């Protein structure tokens, strides 16, 4: 089940431009990690950068990474997550993104961190990966599947490049309330989302791609539900960011994100799904037909 806006897929080049436009300021505001935050409650005074790192750790910890394993970071952003995982777990990381800004920034971050022997960042479309079957021990899709032109195709491709017994962890937005659809539509248009699955919808799609779901968590109230804390933290740094990028750039950045904040806090969830490719996977793929709610 999912909420859809129109029927036209957003092409890869447009998604690349979308992140090229937004990632430079986002990279500074979010300390190299272009994903959401995690605050326990309104009294949690954790700084924005640490709240973002907290969510990254919460998501990636579910992979159970081990030294020497090879991880695919599908939609790797500006590279901070890949650097963190290489340093923390001693894994090799191959990051792919369709944003030229993110590739350049991630490569510079990898070099500065001295982990070039462990981390590589490449231009790549996760719907058509150039890697052989069973190339990776684990796959991370941290808020990247939301931009898939065809989610089932992408999940199938991630399944293909995972070795039997390999693990997948994804985290992404979910639809928690279909009320006031105009608010949800603004949110989806801002983020270039073709569809917004419910929590159950995400689980159904992952299973249909051939994965065995082992764990899932819905933490929307502590993620999107704390959007007012993000706004306050970002506004506190507005002058600093304007001094670096210019007032006009900050104004454009703010205007481009207005629709993101349109839904009520209870309308948008945040789901983390951890799954495994069965060791003797010979099951046919059965993609769900129902995608609306």
């Amino acid at each position: 089940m999912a909420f859809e806006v129109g029927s036209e897929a957003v092409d890869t080049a447009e998604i690349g431009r979308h992140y090229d436009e937004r990632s430079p300021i986002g990279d500074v505001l979010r300390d190299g990690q272009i994903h959401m935050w995690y605050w326990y409650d309104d009294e949690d005074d954790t700084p924005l950068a640490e709240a973002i790192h907290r969510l990254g750790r919460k998501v990636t910890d579910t992979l159970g990474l081990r030294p020497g394993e090879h991880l695919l970071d599908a939609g790797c952003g500006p590279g901070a997550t890949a650097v963190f995982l290489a340093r923390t777990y001693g894994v090799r990381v191959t990051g792919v993104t369709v944003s030229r800004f993110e590739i350049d920034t991630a490569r510079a971050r990898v070099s500065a961190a001295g982990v070039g022997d462990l981390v590589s960042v490449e231009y790549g479309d996760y719907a058509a990966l150039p890697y052989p079957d069973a190339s990776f021990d684990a796959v991370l899709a941290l808020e990247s599947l939301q931009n898939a032109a065809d989610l089932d195709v992408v999940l199938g491709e991630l399944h293909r490049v995972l070795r039997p017994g390999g693990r997948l962890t994804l985290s992404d937005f979910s639809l928690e309330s279909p009320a006031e659809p105009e608010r949800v539509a603004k949110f989806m248009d801002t983020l270039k989302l073709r569809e917004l699955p419910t929590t159950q919808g995400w689980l159904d799609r992952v299973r249909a791609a051939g994965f065995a779901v082992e764990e899932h968590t819905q933490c929307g109230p502590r993620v999107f539900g704390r959007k007012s804390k993000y706004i306050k933290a970002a506004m506190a740094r507005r002058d600093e960011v304007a001094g670096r990028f210019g007032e006009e750039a900050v104004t454009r950045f703010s205007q481009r994100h207005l629709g993101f904040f349109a839904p009520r806090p209870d309308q948008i969830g945040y789901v983390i799904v951890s799954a495994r490719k069965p060791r003797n996977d010979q099951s046919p793929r059965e993609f769900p037909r129902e995608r609306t709610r």
Side-chain angles (χ1 to χ4, degrees):
M1 294 180 289
F3 188 97
E4 292 190 359
V5 176
S7 58
E8 294 185 4
V10 180
D11 67 33
T12 300
E14 184 175 351
I15 293 299
R17 289 191 296 271
H18 171 80
Y19 284 100
D20 286 343
E21 292 170 352
R22 290 161 172 77
S23 291
I25 290 178
D27 180 60
V28 172
L29 272 178
R30 303 188 185 195
D31 197 25
Q33 300 196 88
I34 308 298
H35 62 252
M36 296 290 281
W37 47 79
Y38 189 98
W39 277 294
Y40 292 105
D41 50 42
D42 289 337
E43 287 69 47
D44 184 352
D45 60 359
T46 300
L48 174 61
E50 175 55 28
I52 291 169
H53 283 290
R54 177 189 283 165
L55 181 61
R57 293 192 300 270
K58 184 178 181 69
V59 172
T60 57
D61 186 58
T62 64
L63 283 167
L65 295 171
R66 304 170 182 91
E69 288 192 319
H70 193 183
L71 169 72
L72 174 65
D73 189 354
C76 63
T81 299
V83 169
F84 167 75
L85 295 176
R87 281 178 160 175
T88 303
Y89 298 103
V91 295
R92 292 184 296 133
V93 183
T94 296
V96 295
T97 176
V98 294
S99 165
R100 293 295 180 184
F101 168 82
E102 291 183 350
I103 291 171
D104 292 343
T105 304
R107 287 175 174 172
R109 182 167 274 120
V110 168
S111 178
V115 291
D117 59 328
L118 291 175
V119 181
S120 63
V121 179
E122 304 168 2
Y123 183 92
D125 181 356
Y126 54 18
L129 293 165
Y131 313 115
D133 295 358
S135 293
F136 299 94
D137 299 292
V139 172
L140 172 67
L142 205 171
E143 295 177 29
S144 59
L145 296 185
Q146 59 184 259
N147 294 125
D150 189 319
L151 178 58
D152 299 321
V153 168
V154 174
L155 285 170
E157 187 69 346
L158 299 183
H159 184 278
R160 180 186 69 80
V161 300
L162 260 181
R163 65 166 174 81
R167 294 95 65 202
L168 164 73
T169 287
L170 69 88
S171 66
D172 228 308
F173 299 110
S174 61
L175 178 69
E176 295 306 307
S177 170
E180 298 184 83
E182 67 282 357
R183 290 177 177 265
V184 177
K186 289 179 181 178
F187 173 85
M188 294 177 66
D189 182 64
T190 297
L191 294 183
K192 303 296 183 187
L193 311 187
R194 184 169 181 264
E195 57 179 312
L196 182 61
T198 61
T199 298
Q200 187 60 52
W202 278 110
L203 298 175
D204 290 344
R205 305 290 276 279
V206 170
R207 289 177 175 128
F211 292 98
V213 174
E214 295 185 338
E215 179 183 3
H216 68 276
T217 302
Q218 175 55 252
C219 47
R222 291 179 170 181
V223 182
F224 189 80
R226 303 281 179 239
K227 63 179 180 175
S228 62
K229 290 183 70 65
Y230 168 77
I231 294 172
K232 183 178 180 180
M235 289 302 295
R237 296 185 61 190
R238 192 184 193 287
D239 291 345
E240 171 197 343
V241 175
R244 179 166 177 174
F245 293 95
E247 189 65 35
E248 183 178 348
V250 172
T251 299
R252 283 198 307 271
F253 180 84
S254 300
Q255 291 173 341
R256 285 169 176 157
H257 287 82
L258 286 176
F260 174 82
F261 300 102
R264 301 190 318 268
D266 64 322
Q267 284 186 285
I268 305 298
Y270 191 90
V271 65
I272 304 170
V273 179
S274 299
R276 188 178 301 271
K277 179 177 180 177
R279 294 186 182 279
N280 297 307
D281 184 79
Q282 297 178 346
S283 60
R285 307 290 171 263
E286 297 180 1
F287 299 119
R289 297 176 181 274
E290 180 63 44
R291 299 194 188 179
T292 57
R293 179 174 179 176

